[in-house]
Amino acid sequence: MADDTSRAGARYTTPQILEYVSRVHAPHDAALVRAFAVPEGVPAIQVGPSEGRLLHLLLRLVDAKKVVEVGTLVGYSAIHMARALAPGGRLWSIEYEPRHAEIARANVAAAGLADRVTILVGAGRDVLPTLDGEGPFDAVFIDADKQNYDHYGRWAVQHLRRGGLVIGDNSYLFGELLDDSERGRAMRAFHELVAGACDSVCIPTPDGLVVGIKR
Ligand code: SAH
Ligand code: DHB
Ligand code: MG
């Protein structure tokens, strides 16, 4: 069947195929193994290995030096992105939960990236304005509270350079993108504002990954 679903390849993935392609293209070294694990009480909600690898490759493609992440968790996506930074580059990653941030700092240090990564504790809406003066940025990765994606997306397009990337995880909103809910409306506003300010796509990862290049 040549509908959009089969063209996306969704019919052909199996756990075994996903394990194989992750192993071949996106193997974990010790630092990524550590940050892909979570201690008791911390949710295991990192991006997948292939999405982490994609973040890394996308940042290399735009020669990223200044990157912002909203939603650090324990630093898995941050390590992928920090490793992609051009010399002298910097990643600011914002995390609301102090315990997550503390574990992330230890994981980033164990990866040898403490000099390039600054983890800021607080709500994205409060912390982003403190970064206004560091821009313009080469990329902004949004992966935190879903009801604020439109706010984060607006901040991103305002503070990205032309050609910079806005990237948003969970862009299908766990299957609830079209719901008449606060976060459904916020996520749709995010899609539409990115499409309006960028050349963009929503990559059909398991939960959708928006990528936009700012015009
Ligand atoms: N990007 C990470 C996963 C992030 S999970 C990775 O792929 O490795 C989402 C994180 O966003 C959680 O740690 C959660 O505590 C954090 N979060 C929730 N609300 C937030 C807010 N308002 N501001 C910043 N971070 C928030
Ligand atoms: C959740 C958050 C995420 O960013 C994700 O990728 C998966 C799940 C969550 O809040 O449950
Ligand atoms: Mg996510």
Side-chain angles (χ1 to χ4, degrees):
M1 213 166 52
D3 62 15
D4 284 352
T5 309
S6 59
R7 284 180 190 225
R11 294 172 62 207
Y12 304 121
T13 55
T14 66
Q16 294 74 22
I17 287 173
L18 291 175
E19 193 277 327
Y20 170 81
V21 296
S22 296
R23 179 157 44 82
V24 170
H25 296 285
H28 282 172
D29 64 5
L32 289 171
V33 167
R34 180 178 164 143
F36 203 60
V38 285
E40 187 72 34
V42 175
I45 52 175
Q46 294 94 336
V47 295
S50 296
E51 292 146 84
R53 188 72 178 150
L54 178 62
L55 291 172
H56 175 92
L57 296 174
L58 288 171
L59 296 202
R60 281 173 49 189
L61 283 171
V62 300
D63 200 23
K65 271 190 126 164
K66 294 200 276 184
V67 177
V68 174
E69 173 176 62
V70 191
T72 316
L73 193 65
V74 296
Y76 178 75
S77 53
I79 290 169
H80 276 291
M81 293 193 288
R83 286 177 167 172
L85 295 173
R90 196 151 166 214
L91 168 67
W92 293 266
S93 185
I94 304 170
E95 173 54 50
Y96 182 72
E97 292 288 342
R99 178 157 182 250
H100 297 179
E102 186 187 327
I103 299 162
R105 284 197 183 108
N107 287 340
V108 163
L113 295 165
D115 59 328
R116 278 178 258 182
V117 180
T118 305
I119 293 167
L120 302 164
V121 181
R125 288 183 77 119
D126 297 332
V127 177
L128 283 172
T130 72
L131 296 177
D132 286 4
E134 304 282 358
F137 299 96
D138 302 297
V140 176
F141 174 50
I142 301 165
D143 192 19
D145 52 318
K146 312 310 170 198
Q147 73 275 13
N148 279 312
Y149 264 46
D150 58 336
H151 181 93
Y152 301 147
R154 222 165 357 255
W155 187 90
V157 298
Q158 280 166 7
H159 294 91
L160 282 168
R161 67 163 163 90
R162 183 184 160 93
L165 302 177
V166 54
I167 307 170
D169 190 33
N170 308 105
S171 292
Y172 297 157
L173 193 56
F174 319 110
E176 297 169 9
L177 177 60
L178 304 183
D179 282 16
D180 183 19
S181 63
E182 188 196 346
R183 62 184 199 160
R185 283 187 289 274
M187 189 64 84
R188 293 196 297 278
F190 170 73
H191 279 270
E192 290 162 33
L193 82 87
V194 171
C198 303
D199 293 340
S200 62
V201 66
C202 184
I203 302 175
T205 60
D207 198 22
L209 188 78
V210 161
V211 178
I213 302 175
K214 191 183 160 186
R215 284 195 286 266

